[in-house]
Amino acid sequence: MITIHLKYEIDADKLADFEEYGRRWVGLVNRFGGTHHGYFLPSEGDSDIAYALFSFPSLAAYEQYRTDSMIDPECQDAFELARITRCIKRYERRFLRPLDVMS
């Protein structure tokens, strides 16, 4: 299993747009065979940082999702929402693996 951790720098004045973006991607990731663990939005502290976590069974499955999302109309609409609203200033992506506690 591979878990993707996204750290977003968002425009705090466009939080509603980012929330809509996140709602769309939760369903899309799940539709493409992943498990979305949610978006985590600013509450206290930094008002312009948000996070997302989602997992796929393997890196190959994630790569297939990335390829398929580039041609999927709903994914393209979500990308376009972020582009038009400019709710995302930048993001960082990290790949994580779970600790095998049985070893």
Side-chain angles (χ1 to χ4, degrees), residues 30-48:
N30 293 335
R31 180 166 59 87
F32 279 95
T35 301
H36 209 296
H37 308 293
Y39 278 81
F40 302 87
L41 306 173
S43 177
E44 292 185 29
D46 296 332
S47 64
D48 64 344

Side-chain angles (χ1 to χ4, degrees), residues 10-16 47-48 87 89:
I10 61 174
D11 184 332
D13 293 328
K14 298 179 180 177
L15 186 57
S47 64
D48 64 344
C87 61
K89 294 180 179 182

Side-chain angles (χ1 to χ4, degrees), residues 1-4 56-66 95:
M1 180 176 76
I2 189 85
T3 297
I4 297 84
F56 278 87
S58 66
L59 185 56
Y62 170 74
E63 291 297 336
Q64 187 62 55
Y65 148 77
R66 294 275 297 166
F95 298 92

Side-chain angles (χ1 to χ4, degrees), residues 21 24-25 73-87:
Y21 173 84
R24 292 181 187 195
W25 278 108
E74 287 182 75
C75 293
Q76 292 307 305
D77 287 346
F79 288 133
E80 187 69 5
L81 172 67
R83 190 188 69 74
I84 289 171
T85 64
R86 303 178 83 101
C87 61

